[in-house]
Amino acid sequence: SSRGLGDVDKRQELGYAPRTPPQRHSMVIDDELRDLGGATSLVVERLVGPVEGMHRAISGNAFRYVGPAGRPVQVVHDGMVGGVYKAIRGGAGLLGAAAGALAASRLPEASPVSGSRRGAGVQAALNGVWGDELDARGNELAVALSIRRSGRMIPVDRAGLADAYREPSDHIVVLLHGLGQTERCWTGSEPGLLDQLAASVGTPVLVRHTSGLPVERSGAELAELHEALVENGPVDEPRLSLVGYSMGGLVARSACVAASAAGHEWMSHAGDLVTVGAPHHGSPIARAARLGSRALGIAATTRPLSRFIDTASAGIKDLEDGVADPEGTAGIRQHFMAAVVTAEERHPVGVVAGDLIVRVASAAGRMLGPSNVRVLGGRRHFSLLSDPEVADQIVAWLEDPGPR
């Protein structure tokens, strides 16, 4: 391909192929388990830091009241405290590494962390909070953006796609999850959204991504994956639509912006973009966290908590303002779904509270020129994907072959 999509190293970097060949399944397991110690160290480091900082601040205040007479005691105290917290950090890393080695010793009976439902859920939550740091450290538990089927990574080459989708439709529907989730978030509705899409719309394709990375970067990687998907897929000239829940909606829009800027071919195949509860113009929860961090940073005693909040991933910080760039989605029909907790959609409390995570004005994204906006009353953010009415509306929008 002219864009280098056939380059193995690039595809592996972007998560388009397993980090090791399929026949070396045990090495995939070993890689993830090997870095369990590093991930454990990161978690303990981030959690112990504020505790140690507050401990030192409080004890420092006490010793200041005592005066010079207490200085020798303070030196001994600080040395002991430093040693204790250092031991906690080091012990946690050793414990994680030992646990990983023990699990690896059970190969090939063990399964990859990313392949099991529970392991993938814990991994996704960790990546949502500190995924950018895991990625920067090169930790194997950093989630690679990839297509998944039954938890298994699908290589985006001709053989991999042909094997995974043996009865493909000419309409591909890519689904993107929210912060700290996996693609399995789409399997909880009754009747299932995926079944409805397969029956009356097209082929659902589930994507897993690191929700802790900057939205712009995830969008750029998703745009490249779409290019490979259209180029190597089993159907010529497919129609490609995107459905994103919460942060996934921001990643989907960002992918369109990146693809337009790069002149990607798949944009000529793009049909619809559907977002559900996406904070196009930001989330008040994320903004409150930023303001809370500033308030906590005023006093020395609570300053460690401020620094802890500031360690949140770039993905979380991107939720403060959303992705409100109206460019890059020309020619794509956009359908935005919002929700309010009140039964009446226009009730003042509902307008202010939204779905308790995202306000209507943000999820509706009216300044972005959507083709359709649907506001549902009596719903909360985290119940939207299990709501049959939400699934029915998504299907109805995607079934409509109207002009783009």
Side-chain angles (χ1 to χ4, degrees):
S1 169
S2 60
R3 296 185 179 86
L5 293 171
D7 183 79
V8 174
D9 291 336
K10 180 64 174 176
R11 287 173 55 233
Q12 290 180 335
E13 176 188 343
L14 297 177
Y16 301 158
R19 287 186 170 91
T20 53
Q23 64 269 24
R24 297 180 62 197
H25 175 72
S26 63
M27 288 300 294
V28 177
I29 302 170
D30 186 58
D31 284 345
E32 292 187 344
L33 295 177
R34 172 173 53 80
D35 276 355
L36 186 59
T40 304
S41 294
L42 171 62
V43 173
V44 172
E45 172 189 320
R46 293 290 167 87
L47 294 179
V48 169
V51 176
E52 180 183 7
M54 293 180 68
H55 186 162
R56 290 184 180 278
I58 293 171
S59 63
N61 288 336
F63 283 118
R64 274 194 293 273
Y65 284 119
V66 174
R71 180 60 183 165
V73 178
Q74 183 180 10
V75 171
V76 175
H77 169 272
D78 289 350
M80 293 179 62
V81 167
V84 169
Y85 286 110
K86 183 177 181 180
I88 292 174
R89 291 186 176 94
L94 291 174
L95 182 62
L102 178 62
S105 69
R106 296 176 55 241
L107 294 174
E109 290 81 7
S111 61
V113 173
S114 58
S116 69
R117 179 178 291 272
R118 181 174 299 178
V122 173
Q123 182 188 22
L126 178 61
N127 273 263
V129 180
W130 295 307
D132 53 346
E133 183 63 24
L134 285 172
D135 180 77
R137 296 184 183 191
N139 192 289
E140 288 293 327
L141 289 174
V143 174
L145 185 142
S146 57
I147 292 176
R148 296 275 172 163
R149 191 160 190 182
S150 299
R152 183 172 60 91
M153 182 184 288
I154 305 299
V156 189
D157 54 27
R158 294 189 183 277
L161 291 171
D163 181 61
Y165 303 100
R166 299 186 179 184
E167 297 181 0
S169 162
D170 60 0
H171 188 178
I172 299 170
V173 182
V174 175
L175 297 101
L176 296 142
H177 60 77
L179 176 69
Q181 295 180 311
T182 73
E183 73 287 350
R184 289 187 171 99
C185 72
W186 297 101
T187 62
S189 58
E190 293 292 343
L193 172 62
L194 301 184
D195 292 336
Q196 289 180 258
L197 290 173
S200 58
V201 177
T203 302
V205 173
L206 303 178
V207 170
R208 184 184 299 182
H209 62 95
T210 302
S211 55
L213 289 178
V215 169
E216 183 178 3
R217 175 178 163 185
S218 293
E221 292 184 3
L222 179 63
E224 292 286 349
L225 183 142
H226 286 162
E227 190 80 328
L229 180 60
V230 169
E231 178 178 324
N232 298 328
V235 176
D236 293 331
E237 302 295 324
R239 175 186 174 191
L240 191 149
S241 294
L242 295 82
V243 180
Y245 167 64
S246 196
M247 175 187 278
L250 303 187
V251 174
R253 289 198 69 254
S254 184
C256 295
V257 173
S260 294
H264 284 183
E265 173 65 23
W266 72 265
M267 283 294 286
S268 64
H269 301 271
D272 297 84
L273 168 63
V274 178
T275 67
V276 180
H280 296 293
H281 301 295
S283 167
I285 303 296
R287 295 193 190 105
R290 177 180 58 185
L291 294 175
S293 173
R294 291 178 179 176
L296 290 169
I298 295 174
T301 305
T302 56
R303 199 165 294 142
L305 293 177
S306 172
R307 288 195 288 267
F308 173 73
I309 293 174
D310 289 341
T311 65
S313 68
I316 291 178
K317 292 174 181 176
D318 279 347
L319 296 179
E320 294 178 14
D321 300 313
V323 179
D325 185 355
E327 303 296 327
T329 54
I332 299 177
R333 295 191 308 174
Q334 300 183 88
H335 316 276
F336 299 157
M337 196 175 304
V340 295
V341 293
T342 54
E344 173 55 47
E345 299 163 9
R346 297 187 180 182
H347 192 284
V349 173
V351 172
V352 173
D355 61 14
L356 298 183
I357 300 294
V358 183
R359 289 176 176 165
V360 172
S362 181
R366 297 187 187 278
M367 289 189 291
L368 301 175
S371 304
N372 294 293
V373 172
R374 175 83 184 275
V375 180
L376 299 175
R379 269 81 165 183
R380 298 185 180 185
H381 189 78
F382 294 111
S383 65
L384 290 173
L385 292 189
S386 60
D387 191 315
E389 194 169 351
V390 171
D392 290 343
Q393 183 61 79
I394 293 174
V395 171
W397 278 333
L398 295 178
E399 279 184 322
D400 180 10
R404 297 197 301 169

